[in-house]
Amino acid sequence: MHSQLPKQVKLVEVGPRDGLQNEKEAVSAAVKIELVDRLSRAGFANIEAASFVSPKWVPQMATSTEVMAGIARRAGTLYSALTPNMQGFEAALAAKADEVVIFGSASEAFSQRNINCSIAESIARFEPVAKAAKDHGLRLRGSISCAFGCPYQGEVPLASVADVVARMRDLGCDEIDIADTIGVSTPRKTQAVMDTAARAFALERISGHFHDTYGQALANIYASLELGVAIFHSSVSGLGGCPYAKGATGNVATEDVVYMLNGLGIDTGIDLDLVVDAGQFISQQLGRKGASRAGNALLAKRVV
């Protein structure tokens, strides 16, 4: 275990895509553009802005082309899009995405239930997308869901995680996300999974995507920092469903992560006040209070 924590951390802001995609009420392209622009100004190095999936499956993401065309791009920020197939890839390419994201599961049961095919088959389907990304000089990110536990099979063997990481690596992924989709992990488990992933892929290109369903996300991020992981995903205002609702995602709130990293003296390049503003903006648009404890505490201090 590293006694030194990383001096710098890259945060991937996933609110505009992962956060909003489960919202029942349609969020306009104009609101999404404003959210991305606010996050760009806050200084994120990477913002997940769009998803080129069938609107039949994810209606909320039907505005992705409009959003990508409307945002004010900040130099030094990567704008990412999810691309499940070649059709999605072509749309992402036309929309000038800087990075395309492919996704698989570490859980065989989850893969079968969600996309009706095995893990190996699901990754094989991404081969043309991965090749096209490389041919066009786009960054390629691989996302691995259910790496710490599965709603259908429960425990996910470490060997399964290692296998999917190796498959993603072999597709040429520049970065690989290890995701706790149902938020069940705890710090020691987190370190075992991250350590396994790091044996199959460069540690500095591994990211942690932790959900706060059981209130463990910050602890799991800290446990990952101890191993030297220096890329994490978070969602402004904790967008991505209430952790108590059925099927909730419970994304960790960006404000909480930045507050913790600031306290640890770790550089993120992110302006916390601007993130709090962005969180307040989108929460007001959605007509509810933000889910970030740090964000709410900082807002309360302002109203003195």
Side-chain angles (χ1 to χ4, degrees):
M1 187 182 292
H2 296 236
S3 51
Q4 289 298 118
L5 297 179
K7 292 193 168 32
Q8 212 174 1
V9 156
K10 177 174 101 168
L11 284 186
V12 180
E13 171 55 60
V14 300
R17 198 285 303 173
D18 191 23
L20 290 178
Q21 73 172 15
N22 290 326
E23 289 293 328
K24 297 285 173 279
E25 300 295 316
V27 179
S28 72
V31 167
K32 291 174 188 163
I33 289 166
E34 169 83 3
L35 177 62
V36 173
D37 286 351
R38 282 171 174 268
L39 294 165
S40 292
R41 289 196 293 272
F44 286 90
N46 193 330
I47 299 173
E48 210 170 83
S51 180
F52 292 101
V53 296
S54 165
K56 190 174 73 181
W57 299 115
V58 190
Q60 193 63 262
M61 290 291 120
T63 53
S64 285
T65 298
E66 215 179 318
V67 171
M68 291 295 280
I71 57 178
R73 300 191 186 214
R74 186 185 80 107
T77 298
L78 293 170
Y79 297 90
S80 315
L82 241 72
T83 54
N85 49 36
M86 278 310 290
Q87 197 179 345
F89 175 81
E90 296 296 345
L93 186 65
K96 298 189 165 47
D98 300 302
E99 175 182 71
V100 295
V101 185
I102 57 178
F103 42 92
S105 174
S107 155
E108 203 58 72
F110 192 82
S111 190
Q112 293 290 355
R113 291 283 284 267
N114 266 11
I115 44 179
N116 304 320
C117 69
S118 71
I119 293 171
E121 286 168 334
S122 76
I123 305 284
R125 286 180 189 175
F126 286 121
E127 281 173 11
V129 177
K131 186 182 180 310
K134 293 286 141 196
D135 290 347
H136 288 90
L138 292 186
R139 271 189 110 235
L140 177 68
R141 175 149 63 80
S143 209
I144 302 174
S145 63
C146 297
F148 301 86
C150 166
Y152 308 120
Q153 75 179 52
E155 284 292 312
V156 172
L158 290 174
S160 299
V161 177
D163 175 59
V164 185
V165 170
R167 289 175 189 276
M168 290 280 193
R169 175 198 69 209
D170 293 347
L171 284 179
C173 287
D174 295 291
E175 209 167 279
I176 297 178
D177 320 327
I178 313 295
D180 187 6
T181 310
I182 53 173
V184 291
S185 193
T186 49
R188 196 163 284 167
K189 170 76 174 278
T190 292
Q191 290 187 335
V193 172
M194 288 302 193
D195 189 51
T196 298
R199 287 179 201 171
F201 192 69
L203 181 69
E204 62 273 13
R205 295 193 283 143
I206 288 173
S207 63
H209 181 116
F210 294 102
H211 286 188
D212 206 29
T213 319
Y214 290 84
Q216 303 296 301
L218 289 177
N220 288 328
I221 289 172
Y222 190 84
S224 303
L225 286 168
E226 287 189 321
L227 289 184
V229 177
I231 310 170
F232 297 96
H233 293 196
S234 62
S235 181
V236 63
S237 192
L239 287 177
C242 156
Y244 307 106
K246 187 178 179 337
T249 51
N251 276 312
V252 67
T254 303
E255 299 90 323
D256 297 3
V257 179
V258 176
Y259 181 82
M260 179 178 83
L261 294 172
N262 284 353
L264 290 168
I266 294 173
D267 178 36
T268 60
I270 291 164
D271 183 323
L272 180 54
D273 278 328
L274 292 181
V275 181
V276 172
D277 292 343
Q280 188 181 27
F281 163 76
I282 192 63
S283 298
Q284 284 170 344
Q285 295 294 324
L286 297 171
R288 61 170 185 257
K289 192 179 175 193
S292 162
R293 286 185 178 181
N296 290 335
L298 290 166
L299 279 172
K301 280 170 79 172
R302 287 181 183 178
V303 196
V304 176

